[in-house]
Amino acid sequence: MKRFGALMTALALALALPACTSTAPAASSAQASAEIPKIVIYHAEGRRSERVVWLCEELGIPYELKFRRGDVAGSFEDIFAVNPGMRVAPTVFYNGELLVESGAILQFIMDRNGGGRLIPAVNSPDYASYLRFMHYAEGTLASDVVADYRVARATDNKAPRGEKETDGQRAMRFADDFLAKHAYFAGAEFTTADIMMVFPISYAIRMNVADPAKYPNIAAWQKKVEDRPAFKRMLAIARPDGRVAPPPSLVLP
Ligand SMILES: N[C@@H](CCC(=O)N[C@@H](CS)C(=O)NCC(=O)O)C(=O)O
């Protein structure tokens, strides 16, 4: 009876979602946990808000997605209107509560609605790696590759390809070395640490901060995680026309 009630709540919520720029109930709401929240994701195509969409797709939680298709500047205007304190993607409302910082948002949704999925048990041997890469994604990798990119843009605009590794390249190598011995960033299983790591890794490669040929383990992992049905659903829903207004890549030698 409780389960039936939960399913009815999920159905009612999915039907009650108001019209918006884009509304995307996740594929399998039957998998959602008993308490179905109202999650509104303010998004811009190709930006870090894709992490939240991907997580909801993995968990089968319904959500409302707001963005202006093909208009990243417009999407950010909408974000600024609801979150004037911090014009940032992702901006999420969870049952009306404002959430920012993608890692914290993922953790919040997992705590409330994950039901133990996509995270190793706290006392398992994989938990330390899980936590490390949940934080490494923004705390080290994204900061270092974005810093490399900005330094190059402000100077010669050239992709760094010298003998000496940049900070971003060193951070990529650390990740690649880990994947030489593990299938995923928490060890044996796919987790939200993998969801966190995709953005800075693809940014480093796309912007030509790092040469993908040097990171074969990352390449194999990336293919595997981007092959997941939930990732593909995320792409179709949150990036339907490919990347919109991406920053320019550094010039290769
Ligand atoms: N550490 C933050 C970074 C968020 C962030 O910088 N998002 C970018 C998009 S990927 C943004 O909103 N940039 C502001 C802008 O482009 O105006 C997080 O993980 O949520």
Side-chain angles (χ1 to χ4, degrees):
M1 189 62 195
K2 200 172 166 201
R3 185 173 164 72
F4 177 72
L7 284 174
M8 292 310 289
T9 311
L11 188 62
L13 261 171
L15 293 174
L17 289 173
C20 63
T21 315
S22 169
T23 297
S28 171
S29 56
Q31 289 167 9
S33 70
E35 300 298 324
I36 306 292
K38 179 169 173 57
I39 297 178
V40 183
I41 306 169
Y42 280 83
H43 167 63
E45 289 134 308
R47 280 25 181 212
R48 287 169 174 88
S49 36
E50 291 186 352
R51 288 170 169 158
V52 188
V53 180
W54 185 5
L55 175 65
C56 289
E57 287 293 336
E58 290 281 354
L59 294 176
I61 302 176
Y63 57 92
E64 188 179 342
L65 189 62
K66 294 203 180 250
F67 69 107
R68 292 197 214 173
R69 186 167 173 174
D71 179 7
V72 164
S75 296
F76 274 104
E77 273 174 38
D78 293 344
I79 292 173
F80 185 62
V82 295
N83 185 11
M86 205 177 171
R87 180 186 175 274
V88 71
T91 286
V92 167
F93 289 89
Y94 183 104
N95 290 339
E97 184 173 353
L98 172 69
L99 305 178
V100 290
E101 199 54 54
S102 59
I105 297 168
L106 262 51
Q107 191 176 338
F108 188 94
I109 294 173
M110 293 283 287
D111 288 348
R112 294 278 175 96
N113 306 102
R117 290 171 289 167
L118 304 183
I119 183 169
V122 173
N123 55 2
S124 84
D126 287 346
Y127 192 70
S129 307
Y130 167 78
L131 267 192
R132 179 192 318 129
F133 285 109
M134 276 298 285
H135 293 274
Y136 186 84
E138 285 296 309
T140 298
L141 186 56
S143 345
D144 286 350
V145 297
V146 171
D148 284 353
Y149 174 75
R150 288 184 178 160
V151 167
R153 289 283 294 161
T155 53
D156 59 5
N157 203 32
K158 288 194 181 135
R161 290 293 182 270
E163 290 263 300
K164 189 172 177 305
E165 275 183 330
T166 64
D167 288 351
Q169 291 167 349
R170 193 182 50 191
M172 286 285 283
R173 183 167 50 78
F174 179 80
D176 194 71
D177 287 349
F178 184 85
L179 290 177
K181 300 193 189 88
H182 303 89
Y184 295 100
F185 279 112
E189 305 288 340
F190 175 84
T191 66
T192 46
D194 298 292
I195 296 181
M196 286 300 292
M197 288 292 283
V198 163
F199 181 89
I201 281 174
S202 47
Y203 179 96
I205 291 170
R206 245 177 327 111
M207 296 296 114
N208 291 330
V209 167
D211 174 359
K214 293 198 166 156
Y215 314 102
N217 304 302
I218 283 179
W221 163 87
Q222 198 170 11
K223 183 170 175 341
K224 195 165 50 185
V225 295
E226 293 186 356
D227 241 12
R228 293 178 70 83
F231 181 84
K232 291 184 177 159
R233 288 197 297 275
M234 178 282 288
L235 279 189
I237 292 163
R239 208 197 294 167
D241 310 308
R243 288 186 192 280
V244 177
S249 301
L250 301 174
V251 177
L252 289 167

